[in-house]
Amino acid sequence: GALLNDGISGFVSALATSLPLTTFAQNNGVIALTNVASRQAGWACSFWLIILGILGKFGAFVVSIPACVLGGMTTFLFANVISSGIKIIVSEKSLDRRTRFIMACSLALGVGVQLNPAWG
């Protein structure tokens, strides 16, 4: 499914002379945070993103978000991807949602300081 979807979207993007879109591991982090993995939620989210993308005022609001806030959100999201990967490696029942959240906060601070020593 996902590989076919990436191939089709790359083909359609090439026909439209645009760069292809791909799926990334951030989706795993979002699913770990929200526990929502249904296609209906994805369709609803894409609908609202298209509608809000048309509205200029919403775009101005998104642009006004400080870089430090976006950086913090991105760091926490990737730390969630790491903790979800650790959950898969360890086992299914040993890491509950609360433990993964705490682990993601610790990893976000630890990995963030390692990647950008100016934070420390």
Side-chain angles (χ1 to χ4, degrees):
L3 186 59
L4 177 64
N5 183 29
D6 280 344
I8 292 172
S9 71
F11 179 74
V12 172
S13 296
L15 289 176
T17 66
S18 176
L19 296 173
L21 299 173
T22 57
T23 48
F24 295 102
Q26 291 95 322
N27 297 334
N28 296 332
V30 171
I31 291 170
L33 277 176
T34 62
N35 276 347
V36 176
S38 70
R39 290 185 182 186
Q40 290 82 10
W43 284 110
C45 183
S46 64
F47 170 76
W48 283 109
L49 285 175
I50 290 170
I51 295 299
L52 293 174
I54 295 170
L55 303 174
K57 293 288 183 185
F58 183 74
F61 171 73
V62 172
V63 170
S64 71
I65 297 174
C68 60
V69 174
L70 290 176
M73 288 175 18
T74 304
T75 304
F76 186 74
L77 182 64
F78 281 110
N80 249 320
V81 171
I82 293 170
S83 67
S84 295
I86 291 172
K87 178 188 175 205
I88 291 170
I89 290 171
V90 172
S91 74
E92 281 296 316
K93 296 183 181 183
S94 64
L95 294 177
D96 60 348
R97 189 174 181 195
R98 180 179 180 273
T99 308
R100 282 195 326 264
F101 184 82
I102 294 169
M103 184 180 2
C105 291
S106 332
L107 287 170
L109 293 175
V111 173
V113 171
Q114 282 292 344
L115 293 177
N116 191 357
W119 288 354

